[in-house]
Amino acid sequence: MISTLNLARIAKVVALVGFLLPWVLVSCSGEPVGQLSGIDLATGGLTTPDSSALRHTHGDPNLWVVVSLAAVLSGLMLSFLARGRPALLGMGALAVVSLAASGIGVANAGSGAPSDTLRPPPTATAAPAAGSGGGLVQVDLQYGYFITLAGLLVAIGACGAGLAGRARGPD
């Protein structure tokens, strides 16, 4: 039987893999401008379509996503350094921090991207899209973000179950 600590570790690895997948799709006037993974948000990178090739530009890092990524990595390291209840408590707390920080990070995703790439043309007169932060720029969540969320939620659940003593296996 798998222990709750190992289940939380696996879930954290799944969350970490989610950072490599697309988190947000940035559109301007309904046309895709760029797609950002969790790593792109954390480092300030942006992949944009440029005719037939993809162009990689650089913007400001999203500090909330950096905190989220650091919390996932710290939780994984803690799981190998500590055992039992302290490991479960630390991993659970860091998963909650990562979950909250990633939510805030994607809510502010459009603000950290390169402004010349994401700003609509000055002649545009359409109304702002709901939740886009203004202008014609719209940020849509992608599957990588949801994989990260699922991994973090499973990690929180596994840590909670281990702390409650319901499904405690050998640590």
Side-chain angles (χ1 to χ4, degrees):
M1 177 130 201
I2 190 167
S3 72
T4 55
L5 183 60
N6 284 335
L7 180 60
R9 283 180 185 143
I10 293 168
K12 288 268 190 157
V13 169
V14 168
L16 192 58
V17 168
F19 275 90
L20 302 173
L21 301 172
W23 271 32
V24 294
L25 175 67
V26 181
S27 305
C28 182
S29 300
E31 292 294 318
V33 175
Q35 192 172 37
L36 294 95
S37 68
I39 297 294
D40 290 336
L41 286 170
T43 61
L46 173 65
T47 304
T48 59
D50 187 5
S51 61
S52 64
L54 289 177
R55 182 172 55 105
H56 196 75
T57 59
H58 198 72
D60 297 329
N62 187 319
L63 295 180
W64 288 106
V65 179
V66 172
V67 168
S68 179
L69 180 59
V72 169
L73 291 171
S74 298
L76 271 174
M77 287 190 312
L78 178 67
S79 74
F80 292 107
L81 297 175
R83 294 278 181 222
R85 193 166 179 81
L88 288 170
L89 187 61
M91 282 186 67
L94 287 167
V96 169
V97 167
S98 180
L99 187 69
S102 66
I104 295 169
V106 296
N108 298 326
S111 64
S115 57
D116 60 334
T117 307
L118 297 181
R119 286 224 174 97
T123 59
T125 58
S132 66
L136 298 174
V137 176
Q138 183 174 3
V139 177
D140 297 314
L141 297 178
Q142 298 290 295
Y143 64 93
Y145 176 68
F146 295 111
I147 289 172
T148 300
L149 282 183
L152 290 172
L153 289 172
V154 169
I156 292 168
C159 291
L163 289 170
R166 291 185 202 152
R168 184 167 231 142
D171 292 332

